[in-house]
Amino acid sequence: MRAFVSSLLCACGSVACAAPPPAVEAPPPEPASSSTEPQSAEWLYATDGVPGGRKAECRALVTGLESEAKCTGALCSHAASLAEDWLRVCKKLTPELSGDVERRVEELRKKARTAPVACEQEVERLLKNGCGKREDCAGDAQSWATRCADFSTPLVLRMLEVAIERGGGGRSQLDARACPALLADVQKAGACTQQFACQDGFAAIDTYRARCVSSARPISQTAAVLELAVRSGASAKVEPLAFAGGSKLDPALLPLIFEDGSGAVLMTCGKRATSVDAYLELRKPCTDGELVLARRFDGPEGPLLRVGRLPHLGDVAFLAAFPTLRVEGEPKARYRAALPAFLSSVDLAAKTAADPKQSTEALRILIAAIEGNIDAVRNSADLETALRAKDDALTPLFAALGEAKKKALHADLSSTKLVPGMLRGKSHELADVDVEGRVRLGAVTQAASVEMVDFLPKAVAAYQAALAGRWKLVEKKKLGTRDTEKLGLAADGEAARCGQAMKGVDAAEKILIACAFGLETCDEAKVVAAVQKAGESRRAAESSWPRSVLALASLPREQRAGAEKAAELAGCREPWW
């Protein structure tokens, strides 16, 4: 070093250089520069157990730094320190790898300059101070690793594991999975169908609860349903489960959520369905099984999920008893499944109507098709589109219907029959047609409640054209005030019967649900009576709704507002099952 300084000063002309300094004994060689040795604590954590010497460590650390690239904030300082150490130690040893590390170190430094958030502050305290007097240091560390998985990296986790070991907690390996991954384990366990297999799933439940649920973080409704899916498969009796109010069910984890979001189907006739289509397929052959459901009930201490086991004696019977227990997507799936057969019947009706002598039979076929798929006809956009495509084919049939109506609504009829018949036939083309396809004044079918003009504009135009002359009769035969009042009273009566029937459906279902979910103690007689009441009320509702609709349509337009309001107050509504 002295020789170097003297030469430098001589070159600069600061001192005389005529003669070299007297020879001195050469100093011993200096130790290797510290700049070539690792200086960060992170190096020791990251290379622990890596064999093959320094060069092997350098290569291994490049892979390690790739894993650290996912760090998101202040904790990136540890990866940044490691990257800086790598450039100091490894750049000359493995120059071909230095480009990637140089690019990465700048990114890590930039991330590390952000202000630390709670998760980062928590682990930094633990890394700095150790476990202290904590009795369950490993548990605290694992809790952090789960809750703060978005911030943890392999390097941070390894440093945390060493901190636990130094604190006397023994050697441990932390699980880096976050709560969603642990909940996925519960979901997987819930695929069980046998008692002992379901019991094996308790471990997944315990792990999720231990790491992801606390008084400060109550279990969500989705997690509670997934837990009940496991427990209900392991035991016939399952205790109600409290969950966090305000949480909603996640359709990504629960494919069979009820339309109102109150719960989900857990098991279908002894099997698990993972889609709506699979669910409906399982129900088709099931005539002596049960559906296991989880449903929300609100109590004085908050919401509870209860498990109910409902008898499934057939698809139609279950729908009749429990019209509100439809899963999200079920109606559309049913509509799709019914569409081919429905359109086949419509085609048959159109083909039959090609023979004018067979128009009555054609109407019978069409009405049967509509009645058998009334919910889809009322609510399916796909069916409406498909039915519109049949407009031209059905035009002859509706023209024939108009001619048949013209004969029935003849000039000799009293105004109290002619006017209401024309009025309701104007908006509801299948009014006054019985199930056999015959035009008969006063006949009512479910199909008559559908306004066909929405589906078949051309066919309905042909129907209306056949009746054009009858509207001149209507103009001559005006209804008197007393006649209008009588029609209004009749509409009110039909609406009252409709509302009463719907209330009966609702009341019977509530009793059955209360029995199935353990809200009430029910003997067999009570259940049987409720099932019978549900069936009777359903049939009454299906009959009274079209009667109420046609009674309203029979009124002059200026008289309908009051009757419609009365129907609304009576609770008369369209059956949607």
Side-chain angles (χ1 to χ4, degrees):
M1 184 64 70
R2 293 190 187 93
F4 173 78
V5 173
S6 299
S7 299
L8 180 60
L9 292 175
C10 179
C12 294
S14 298
V15 293
C17 300
V24 295
E25 184 178 353
E30 294 185 5
S33 171
S34 59
S35 63
T36 63
E37 291 297 316
Q39 295 183 0
S40 67
E42 285 81 3
W43 184 286
L44 299 178
Y45 294 112
T47 59
D48 183 33
V50 175
R54 185 73 75 218
K55 197 168 185 177
E57 290 178 344
C58 290
R59 294 188 181 281
L61 288 180
V62 172
T63 302
L65 285 169
E66 289 177 0
S67 301
E68 295 300 306
K70 74 167 189 174
C71 68
T72 58
L75 286 182
C76 291
S77 61
H78 297 289
S81 294
L82 183 60
E84 290 165 354
D85 231 5
W86 190 98
L87 291 173
R88 182 185 304 110
V89 176
C90 302
K91 191 171 183 178
K92 291 184 178 180
L93 291 175
T94 54
E96 72 279 7
L97 301 177
S98 61
D100 290 339
V101 179
E102 286 174 339
R103 286 190 294 271
R104 200 176 301 284
V105 73
E106 291 303 322
E107 180 183 352
L108 292 170
R109 286 169 179 161
K110 183 177 179 180
K111 289 181 180 181
R113 285 194 289 268
T114 60
V117 299
C119 272
E120 293 172 316
Q121 292 171 339
E122 182 181 347
V123 75
E124 288 290 16
R125 284 194 297 269
L126 189 55
L127 292 174
K128 179 180 179 181
N129 303 323
C131 288
K133 296 182 179 180
R134 289 187 181 91
E135 293 183 1
D136 188 16
C137 182
D140 291 346
Q142 181 59 72
S143 174
W144 180 89
T146 303
R147 288 183 290 104
C148 301
D150 289 343
F151 298 91
S152 68
T153 67
L155 176 59
V156 173
L157 286 178
R158 179 58 189 141
M159 294 170 71
L160 198 50
E161 289 167 354
V162 173
I164 296 169
E165 186 176 355
R166 287 174 179 170
R171 197 165 184 83
S172 63
Q173 184 172 359
L174 296 175
D175 185 350
R177 292 176 300 161
C179 289
L182 298 179
L183 187 58
D185 286 349
V186 180
Q187 180 192 29
K188 184 178 179 181
C192 62
T193 56
Q194 301 299 324
Q195 180 181 6
F196 294 117
C198 291
Q199 288 175 354
D200 291 341
F202 288 174
I205 294 173
D206 293 341
T207 299
Y208 178 79
R209 279 189 164 274
R211 300 185 192 175
C212 303
V213 178
S214 67
S215 58
R217 293 175 287 111
I219 193 169
S220 69
Q221 188 175 6
T222 296
V225 171
L226 292 173
E227 178 175 334
L228 290 178
V230 179
R231 295 193 182 281
S232 62
S235 173
K237 184 176 177 61
V238 182
E239 293 299 319
L241 193 59
F243 63 92
S247 59
K248 295 182 179 180
L249 297 176
D250 183 354
L253 296 176
L254 297 167
L256 301 177
I257 298 173
F258 298 139
E259 285 183 320
D260 62 0
S262 64
V265 176
L266 305 182
M267 192 174 290
T268 308
C269 300
K271 297 182 180 180
R272 308 278 188 176
T274 57
S275 69
V276 175
D277 289 336
Y279 169 63
L280 295 179
E281 282 298 315
L282 288 175
R283 284 180 54 172
K284 281 182 182 178
C286 182
T287 56
D288 188 20
E290 68 175 12
L291 297 188
V292 183
L293 316 174
R295 197 165 187 264
R296 171 185 179 144
F297 295 90
D298 293 324
E301 297 182 2
L304 289 174
L305 276 172
R306 293 177 175 270
V307 171
R309 297 178 181 272
L310 283 64
H312 191 276
L313 304 180
D315 189 57
V316 174
F318 188 87
L319 285 174
F322 303 100
T324 67
L325 295 181
R326 297 196 306 186
V327 301
E328 191 67 41
E330 179 179 343
K332 288 185 177 181
R334 290 184 180 276
Y335 301 158
R336 286 195 305 270
L339 185 57
F342 173 77
L343 291 181
S344 178
S345 295
V346 172
D347 287 338
L348 179 59
K351 182 179 180 180
T352 304
D355 181 356
K357 295 180 180 180
Q358 294 294 313
S359 58
T360 298
E361 173 63 9
L363 275 173
R364 184 196 69 77
I365 295 170
L366 180 63
I367 288 173
I370 294 173
E371 298 243 308
N373 299 275
I374 190 68
D375 182 42
V377 171
R378 289 168 178 156
N379 299 300
S380 172
D382 290 341
L383 187 142
E384 179 177 349
T385 299
L387 194 52
R388 277 179 175 273
K390 308 294 182 182
D391 196 2
D392 289 333
L394 290 172
T395 295
L397 175 56
F398 275 76
L401 174 59
E403 293 294 335
K405 287 275 190 83
K406 185 166 67 173
K407 292 180 181 179
L409 296 166
H410 53 79
D412 295 335
L413 281 180
S414 65
S415 59
T416 56
K417 290 185 178 179
L418 175 66
V419 175
M422 286 296 295
L423 289 174
R424 62 178 173 261
K426 184 178 183 180
S427 57
H428 295 78
E429 298 77 14
L430 296 178
D432 300 300
V433 183
D434 65 19
V435 293
E436 296 300 323
R438 299 170 299 197
V439 174
R440 184 164 53 85
L441 295 184
V444 178
T445 64
Q446 289 188 66
S449 66
V450 180
E451 297 182 39
M452 300 304 297
V453 70
D454 295 335
F455 305 95
L456 307 169
K458 293 181 181 178
V460 169
Y463 162 84
Q464 296 290 3
L467 289 168
R470 289 293 180 262
W471 284 106
K472 295 179 180 178
L473 287 176
V474 172
E475 293 174 2
K476 294 177 181 179
K477 296 187 176 185
K478 297 286 185 180
L479 288 175
T481 302
R482 182 172 293 182
D483 294 331
T484 303
E485 290 177 350
K486 189 175 181 180
L487 286 171
L489 289 173
D492 291 347
E494 293 293 355
R497 284 186 282 275
C498 170
Q500 192 63 33
M502 293 304 298
K503 290 175 184 176
V505 172
D506 294 342
E509 184 181 22
K510 285 179 181 177
I511 292 173
L512 290 170
I513 286 176
C515 293
F517 285 90
L519 298 176
E520 297 181 11
T521 301
C522 306
D523 56 18
E524 184 177 355
K526 184 173 183 177
V527 174
V528 170
V531 170
Q532 291 176 343
K533 179 65 175 176
E536 293 169 0
S537 298
R538 178 186 172 112
R539 288 189 292 273
E542 291 171 343
S543 172
S544 60
W545 166 255
R547 291 182 182 279
S548 178
V549 168
L550 295 180
L552 286 171
S554 300
L555 288 167
R557 183 162 297 279
E558 62 271 15
Q559 304 294 327
R560 292 180 190 176
E564 289 172 346
K565 185 64 176 178
E568 181 183 346
L569 293 174
C572 181
R573 64 184 190 274
E574 178 183 83
W576 49 266
W577 50 78

